[in-house]
Amino acid sequence: MRTNNLILQFTSKFVFFIIFFFAVHIFFAGHYTPGGGFVGGLLMSSALVLLVIAYDLKTVQMILPVNYMYMTAIGLILALGTAAFPMFVGKPFFTHFYDYFHLPLIGKTSLHTAALFDLGVFLVVVGVTMTIIQTIGEDE
Amino acid sequence: MAFQILLNFSLAFLWMFLSANYSANGFLIGFILGAIALVIMRRFFKSRLYIGRVWAIIALTFLFLKELILANIAVLKVVLKPKLDMQPAFFKYETALTEEWELTLLSSLITLTPGTVVVHISDDNKYLYVHAIDAADIDETIASIRDSFEKAILEVSRT
């Protein structure tokens, strides 16, 4: 006999979008303003945890069939690859490259390889957090 | 509703392409012209115009602000009374709303106006269980909710 969680479920569906957008914004804001991969990853996983609280683990796993262990591994490979790439072109380990590009719609932007490293951090944080939540939550 | 908003956006883009004015300004002009065109063609849509719904949402917002101020004053009176003669009570409120978002909105509005808190929704989504801080006259409280919030929400959602 489950209680009727209508208000919680509807509100979390609605709020998920807001947290998701805020997480992406914080992730991209990390270069010049506070934010970055770690905080963005935590926000992203908090959005997912909100769904887990409102529904249950099985439902969320069915909606998003992501293996979070693989996500952690991909994040680590991405971070390590970004850090190791300069060694192949004769620069020291962890040298970052950046340049200015003219992108459609956005205009002149500076693209920096630190963003790729941050994306790796982001994926690792989301993967680790969700793995912890799931393994604790599935314990019967 | 969704179709009308989409049509209005498409008309705004059409105006931008026609006038070769690809700015926010051009979009706004096109959007207003599209709204006028929708009003002219209102008889051909199956549901009512979305502009009326937007107006109903604005009216609901102002109604909420009014109720918030009035209810806060009422609770202030209850709190500052030297004699504690308030009558807390739970009551069952039968709602005519069916959609999830309507029920959530109604519950939030009831909870945000001081003096009443929604504590539970029945499993068939027909009844709200409300706690009132001073419900000397429960029927009056129910009637006031029904006439203000529920009517305004139904005004937003009717087709």
Side-chain angles (χ1 to χ4, degrees):
Chain A
M1 171 73 197
R2 284 183 64 92
T3 49
N4 192 359
N5 283 331
L6 182 123
I7 298 176
L8 177 68
Q9 287 178 354
F10 178 80
T11 316
S12 52
K13 262 185 277 187
F14 186 75
V15 169
F16 176 83
F17 292 104
I18 301 170
I19 303 180
F20 178 79
F21 267 60
F22 188 54
V24 174
H25 162 76
I26 283 282
F27 172 76
F28 281 114
H31 204 66
Y32 298 108
T33 46
F38 187 78
V39 191
L42 278 181
L43 273 166
M44 190 64 234
S45 40
S46 73
L48 293 171
V49 168
L50 181 70
L51 284 184
V52 171
I53 290 170
Y55 293 88
D56 52 47
L57 273 166
K58 284 195 180 69
T59 317
V60 177
Q61 194 60 33
M62 203 180 67
I63 297 166
L64 286 167
V66 181
N67 189 334
Y68 291 103
M69 303 242 181
Y70 288 175
M71 195 191 239
T72 314
I74 289 167
L76 280 171
I77 289 167
L78 197 66
L80 198 66
T82 312
F85 174 72
M87 292 164 69
F88 298 110
V89 291
K91 294 260 170 52
F93 185 65
F94 250 127
T95 312
H96 280 300
F97 302 96
Y98 63 93
D99 201 356
Y100 290 93
F101 294 97
H102 281 278
L103 294 176
L105 290 177
I106 305 169
K108 188 181 171 192
T109 40
S110 66
L111 293 182
H112 202 291
T113 49
L116 284 175
F117 182 78
D118 240 9
L119 185 67
V121 174
F122 180 92
L123 290 175
V124 169
V125 170
V126 174
V128 167
T129 315
M130 292 311 290
T131 308
I132 292 169
I133 298 280
Q134 276 188 340
T135 43
I136 294 173
E138 278 167 355
D139 238 7
E140 289 297 333
Chain B
M1 162 97 181
F3 170 73
Q4 289 171 15
I5 293 175
L6 203 65
L7 185 64
N8 202 341
F9 267 86
S10 315
L11 286 169
F13 280 111
L14 182 70
W15 175 258
M16 278 163 73
F17 291 135
L18 284 173
S19 60
N21 178 7
Y22 304 108
S23 63
N25 206 350
F27 180 83
L28 208 66
I29 294 169
F31 198 85
I32 292 165
L33 284 171
I36 293 168
L38 282 179
V39 170
I40 292 169
M41 301 293 278
R42 70 190 175 279
R43 295 276 175 238
F44 293 94
F45 296 115
K46 285 188 176 66
S47 58
R48 70 191 174 113
L49 276 185
Y50 82 92
I51 300 161
R53 276 180 205 221
V54 172
W55 177 247
I57 291 168
I58 294 167
L60 179 62
T61 312
F62 278 103
L63 174 83
F64 167 66
L65 288 173
K66 190 194 89 180
E67 290 280 338
L68 183 68
I69 292 163
L70 288 178
N72 265 304
I73 291 167
V75 170
L76 190 70
K77 277 181 186 163
V78 170
V79 170
L80 292 179
K81 245 184 193 169
K83 269 175 66 186
L84 269 181
D85 58 353
M86 59 183 185
Q87 304 250 323
F90 284 100
F91 61 87
K92 203 163 153 181
Y93 174 78
E94 189 175 359
T95 175
L97 304 173
T98 47
E99 296 287 326
E100 269 190 22
W101 67 268
E102 293 171 340
L103 283 162
T104 309
L105 186 60
L106 181 67
S107 313
S108 308
L109 289 173
I110 292 172
T111 306
L112 283 169
T113 46
T116 45
V117 180
V118 174
V119 289
H120 183 64
I121 297 182
S122 68
D123 288 343
D124 54 0
N125 294 347
K126 278 206 178 99
Y127 299 100
L128 305 179
Y129 293 89
V130 187
H131 178 262
I133 190 173
D134 189 10
D137 189 358
I138 286 178
D139 292 335
E140 194 188 320
T141 319
I142 290 180
S144 76
I145 294 174
R146 179 155 293 148
D147 288 342
S148 57
F149 289 142
E150 195 170 285
K151 230 166 90 181
I153 293 174
L154 280 170
E155 182 61 33
V156 172
S157 64
R158 81 185 161 87
T159 50

